[in-house]
Each structure stands twice: as C-alpha cells, then as structure tokens.
Amino acid sequence: MSEPAIITVAITGAVPTTKDNAAVPVTPEQQVASAVEAFRAGATVCHVHVRDEHERPSSDPQRYEAVRAGIQRECPEMVVQFSTGARGRSIEERFACLELRPEMASFATGSVNFPNQIYENPPAVVEDIAPRFVALGIRPEIEVFDLAMLYKAADLVHREQLAPAPHVQLVMGIKNALPPRESLVEFFAAEVAELIPGATWGCMATGRFQLAANRWALARGGHVRTGLEDNLYYDKGRLAASNAELVARAAGLCAEYGRHPASPAETRRLLHVSTVGALS
C-alpha cells in the first residue's frame, strides 16, 4: 500500500505580483478561489501570505481572516497555514497573525540573509514566540532557510518550548541561503529523523528547481510544496496557468515514487491538526 504525500500549495508569497504572472492571487477573494482550485487538484495544506491593495506584503488581520474564512467555507477539510514571514514588515507585525489562532503557521527559528535584506528572527524573539505556538494551540511548520534553524528547532522541542513532532520544511534556492541540492535533502531527512523523532518533513525549492525538489522529497518519504509563491513557470518559457496546475503536476508525480496525494484526513493525522469536526 502506498504512503501518503502531503501537498502544500503556497498560493501567493511576498514577492511575485500580477505583473510577473497574472495568475498570482492577491486579493482575499482571488486567494480563496485559488486555494479551492488547488484543493481539488490535490493540495491539502494552503500556505497563506496576504497583500495590501497595492500588492505589497501585508499583516492585516482582516485579510488573513477573510482568506481563512473563505477557505473554511468552501473546502473546510483543507488545512490553512498562515505565514509569519515576509519582506517589508516588522517582527511584531509578522507574528500578529498568531492571535487569530490559525491551525498552522510558519516559524523560522533563526535569521538568514535574503538578497537585499536580513530576514530577522533574533534569539530572544525565537524564544518568546515558540511557547506562543503551544499556548495558542497552533501547529508550527519550521521553515529551515539555514541548517542551524533545524538544530534550534530540535532544541526547542527537547525543552518543550515547542510541541513534539512539528512539520519541518527545508527551503532551498533563495540567493545567499541554501542552494537546491539533492545531497542537502538526503542529509536533512536523516537529521530530522534523528533529532526530532516523529516529525514530518518536506522540502521546496524556488524557480526551475521546484519540480526537482518535489522528486527529491517523494523519493525519501518526505512531503512536497508547490505553488506560485515559489515558481511562476510550468515549463521553461511558459508561465503556470494557476496554482492548481502546479499542484496537479505534483500530485501526478506521487505514483512514480510509490506514493499517493494525502487525503485531508491523512494530512490532519500526519500533521497532528484537529479533525474538521473538532474545529470551532
């Protein structure tokens, strides 16, 4: 019997705009519609950034809530994951969305250089934010832009500052951070298994390496992420028509590796997220 592979769709991100690809959803209404299409194509987790009226990264809780409410109305089985990252926002703004108590939220446990700025997550902030995830009942997705973040996450779990068995995501392909290499995925998978027993893991890569990263994860029992946040193209020279198109391709890869796209129930069980019937 094949093993499930969770497909996360990163629908918008902090950088791409409709000038880059008209399919990038930037209003709450567009984001909900894109998430529903992606769910029907096989994605069971939606990673959400929100934008303001000028398509700039935003922390507006009303926009986050509008996207969550719309997804829960149209496809309540889908797990909604808020992003606490993004360019052009203060640390306080970035983490304000936690007060909305999403089912999941991203959490980078350290700082890293981005092409034109430092993605700041100072030690004191990390130590302060981690127990907030526990207190608010939010399942974290640890975003690993640098391998030191994995070791910090393991330390937080061991000290019970984070709940056991989080989801851990390797992020590759951002300039100045980790390159997209299969050997890194091999190493990462082994380290997660040793350091954080029971944790689920996945990996993603930007641009043309998105598909390769999907394959590297599927081959090793990991989970996958796709979507217009990470890659605007379907093939060289051809823009992706939608998030759903990228999700459908990832779903189609699963059988090549003896896997199947995780159902909503399998996704919630693997990520330790409440079942739909238990949602408030």
Side-chain angles (χ1 to χ4, degrees):
M1 189 173 182
S2 64
E3 292 296 318
I6 299 166
I7 300 175
T8 296
V9 59
I11 55 174
T12 303
V15 176
T17 70
T18 53
K19 290 182 180 179
D20 302 308
N21 184 332
V24 176
V26 292
T27 68
E29 295 78 13
Q30 291 170 346
Q31 290 179 298
V32 171
S34 187
V36 171
E37 290 177 357
F39 177 76
R40 292 171 179 163
T44 47
V45 178
C46 183
H47 179 74
V48 179
H49 290 253
V50 294
R51 303 288 186 88
D52 67 14
E53 62 273 19
H54 303 293
E55 299 191 21
R56 296 174 303 206
S58 172
S59 298
D60 186 345
Q62 292 184 333
R63 289 178 178 264
Y64 271 117
E65 183 54 42
V67 176
R68 175 171 65 177
I71 294 173
Q72 289 183 339
R73 181 181 63 250
E74 300 295 329
C75 47
E77 294 174 299
M78 192 174 211
V79 176
V80 178
Q81 180 191 100
F82 287 173
S83 172
T84 64
R87 296 155 174 83
R89 296 186 289 155
S90 70
I91 290 172
E92 293 75 15
E93 288 173 322
R94 284 171 36 214
F95 288 105
C97 66
L98 296 183
E99 296 307 312
L100 296 172
R101 298 193 178 208
E103 295 178 291
M104 292 188 74
S106 64
F107 183 32
T109 54
S111 300
V112 66
N113 287 341
F114 278 173
N116 298 307
Q117 70 175 87
I118 299 173
Y119 179 27
E120 291 186 271
N121 295 285
V125 170
V126 171
E127 290 288 340
D128 176 65
I129 293 296
R132 286 175 61 185
F133 275 83
V134 177
L136 295 170
I138 302 168
R139 293 295 300 175
E141 177 189 87
I142 307 300
E143 292 196 332
V144 176
F145 295 85
D146 183 281
L147 288 171
M149 298 182 190
L150 171 61
Y151 302 115
K152 180 60 179 179
D155 172 66
L156 290 167
V157 170
H158 294 161
R159 291 192 287 115
E160 299 183 348
Q161 299 301 295
L162 278 178
H167 185 62
V168 189
Q169 175 96 279
L170 180 65
V171 181
M172 300 179 292
I174 295 176
K175 186 178 180 180
N176 302 331
L178 292 171
R181 293 188 179 178
E182 189 171 10
S183 58
L184 274 176
V185 180
E186 185 84 32
F187 177 80
F188 180 78
E191 289 292 280
V192 171
E194 179 179 344
L195 294 168
I196 317 177
T200 51
W201 69 272
C203 72
M204 53 76 56
T206 58
R208 64 189 180 90
F209 289 99
Q210 182 180 74
L211 188 60
N214 291 166
R215 292 184 177 278
W216 298 338
L218 289 170
R220 293 165 176 81
H223 305 282
V224 301
R225 173 169 137 167
T226 190
L228 293 168
E229 172 176 351
D230 305 330
N231 176 32
L232 295 170
Y233 288 83
Y234 188 83
D235 283 317
K236 184 177 181 179
R238 203 269 272 180
L239 291 168
S242 64
N243 278 299
E245 183 178 45
L246 294 172
V247 169
R249 178 166 64 179
L253 284 179
C254 291
E256 295 183 27
Y257 297 92
R259 311 284 297 279
H260 67 267
S263 69
E266 288 173 322
T267 296
R268 290 177 174 275
R269 173 178 57 81
L270 289 166
L271 296 177
H272 307 284
V273 175
S274 299
T275 60
V276 173
L279 296 176
S280 58

